[in-house]
Amino acid sequence: MLDKDESYAFPWGFHIGDLRKGEDTIPLYTVSNDGGFCLLYDKVSEAKADKLLESLCLELLSTMPHESLKVDLFDFGKKKFYNLSPLQYIHLYRTAYNPKMMLALFNELEETIVSRHKEFLCCNRPTISEHNQKSKLKKMYHLVLMNLENFPTEEFDLRRIKNFVESASQAGVYIIAFGNQEIEQSESQTTQAILQHLKKIRVTQGKFAITEEIFEFVELLEDHSFESLDLDKSALMEQTLTNADLESLMNPENIKLEENTKVKS
C-alpha cells in the first residue's frame, strides 16, 4: 500500500497487483505520468477487472491526503462499484449515469482542465502535481473512470475528446477507461481516440497480459506469478472515512448553510 504523502504530489504509479515468488511479494505499479490506462477484459474476466479498479480507487483515497482526490465515474446500467458508493455522501465519489449527467460532468472536468492550464501551469510548474508541491493553494486531483461501452455518447465530438485526454494529466485529471475487449472494434471515432491515447491492460480468461508498456521490468514475469489487485475494501473504506473525520463533518457548527435563505413574508 502507498504511504501517505502530505506533499500532495500525485503517486508516481498505479498499483495494479503484485508479483509473487514463493514467500516474496513485489508490488507492481504502472507509471501514472502518462495519464492513466485502459483495462480491457472478456466476459469471464469482468468481475476480476472490477475488483482491481475498486481496490485501486480505495487504496488511493485511503492513502492520499483527505480531499486531495475525487473519483468520477461515467457509466450507466448495472452498478459495479458498491464499495465506492458510500463515498458519495462525503463528496469523494460521484457518478454520471445518464447522457445529461455525463455531459454536465464532462463540461465541469473540461473547464477544470482548461482553467488550470491557463491559470496555474507554467514552465516551472508544468503539472498540477508539481504545483501542489510548491504552492499553498492545493488543487484537487480527479481520477476519471470511463466505461467505454457507455461513454462517450454521441453528444461529444472528436475534437473535445482528443483535447480532453491529451491535456488531462498535466491538469491533475487522470483517466482509467475500461470495457469489454469487443469495444476495440468500435466504429466510434471518439472511443478510438481514447483507446489510442491510453496504454492497455488486457484480461482474457482471468489472465492479465502485462506488457513492457505497462511494466518496464517484464523479465520478472518469467519466474514470478502476477496477482491482480484485490484488497480488503472494507478496511480501506474505514480508513478513508477515518481520514475524513466524519464526527467533525457531522458537527452542526461545521455545517455551512446558505445565506439569505429566510422566506420572505
Side-chain angles (χ1 to χ4, degrees):
M1 184 176 292
L2 297 171
D3 293 328
K4 289 185 180 180
D5 186 353
E6 296 297 334
S7 72
Y8 275 72
F10 193 81
W12 68 270
F14 294 109
H15 186 193
I16 60 172
D18 300 298
L19 295 176
R20 298 189 183 277
K21 181 181 180 181
E23 298 297 320
D24 297 329
T25 300
I26 304 173
L28 192 153
Y29 293 85
T30 186
V31 295
S32 61
N33 61 8
D34 53 11
F37 61 89
C38 183
L39 183 60
L40 299 169
Y41 44 80
D42 59 9
K43 183 63 178 176
V44 299
S45 307
E46 183 174 356
K48 182 173 281 191
D50 290 349
K51 289 177 182 178
L52 186 159
L53 293 176
E54 195 167 41
S55 294
L56 185 156
C57 291
L58 285 168
E59 184 177 43
L60 287 173
L61 287 164
S62 65
T63 54
M64 292 176 67
H66 177 57
E67 293 188 329
S68 65
L69 175 69
K70 178 177 287 186
V71 176
D72 301 297
L73 172 66
F74 289 88
D75 193 12
F76 56 80
K78 184 179 70 174
K79 190 172 184 178
K80 282 179 169 288
F81 307 121
Y82 286 92
N83 290 286
L84 290 174
S85 293
L87 298 179
Q88 293 179 93
Y89 301 104
I90 56 174
H91 310 295
L92 297 181
Y93 174 63
R94 56 184 173 174
T95 63
Y97 51 82
N98 62 48
K100 183 177 180 180
M101 294 175 71
M102 287 182 175
L103 182 59
L105 179 55
F106 185 87
N107 287 344
E108 180 184 329
L109 290 169
E110 183 180 52
E111 174 57 30
T112 295
I113 292 169
V114 171
S115 64
R116 288 181 177 182
H117 273 274
K118 290 182 177 179
E119 299 172 18
F120 297 101
L121 303 186
C122 62
C123 58
N124 295 322
R125 300 179 183 186
T127 68
I128 285 297
S129 185
E130 290 174 85
H131 164 85
N132 281 347
Q133 294 173 74
K134 298 175 181 179
S135 174
K136 293 182 179 179
L137 181 62
K138 310 298 185 186
K139 308 306 292 183
M140 177 179 280
Y141 298 105
H142 292 266
L143 183 60
V144 180
L145 305 180
M146 296 179 175
N147 186 340
L148 294 179
E149 297 174 50
N150 300 321
F151 180 87
T153 56
E154 59 186 16
E155 286 85 1
F156 299 92
D157 63 49
L158 180 61
R159 177 188 57 82
R160 289 185 72 190
I161 293 296
K162 289 186 69 174
N163 287 343
F164 186 95
V165 297
E166 290 172 1
S167 57
S169 62
Q170 298 99 315
V173 178
Y174 297 84
I175 300 169
I176 298 179
F178 61 92
N180 190 283
Q181 292 173 359
E182 294 177 355
I183 201 68
E184 292 187 273
Q185 308 306 318
S186 172
E187 296 182 358
S188 167
Q189 289 184 311
T190 53
T191 299
Q192 289 298 331
I194 296 171
L195 287 169
Q196 291 168 17
H197 182 76
L198 298 172
K199 59 191 175 186
K200 300 171 186 64
I201 303 175
R202 293 182 174 84
V203 198
T204 306
Q205 295 295 311
K207 184 176 181 179
F208 284 72
I210 305 299
T211 63
E212 192 169 358
E213 181 183 36
I214 296 299
F215 180 59
E216 181 180 0
F217 306 104
V218 289
E219 63 273 10
L220 289 174
L221 292 164
E222 295 176 4
D223 59 355
H224 288 72
S225 60
F226 174 75
E227 292 184 9
S228 59
L229 202 64
D230 185 9
L231 302 176
D232 184 340
K233 299 168 193 63
S234 296
L236 293 174
M237 171 63 70
E238 183 177 347
Q239 183 60 53
T240 302
L241 296 176
T242 299
N243 295 346
D245 189 5
L246 287 184
E247 184 175 346
S248 174
L249 289 174
M250 297 304 293
N251 187 333
E253 295 182 359
N254 293 332
I255 298 176
K256 297 180 180 179
L257 300 177
E258 294 183 10
E259 297 180 357
N260 301 322
T261 57
K262 183 178 180 180
V263 178
K264 295 181 180 180
S265 57

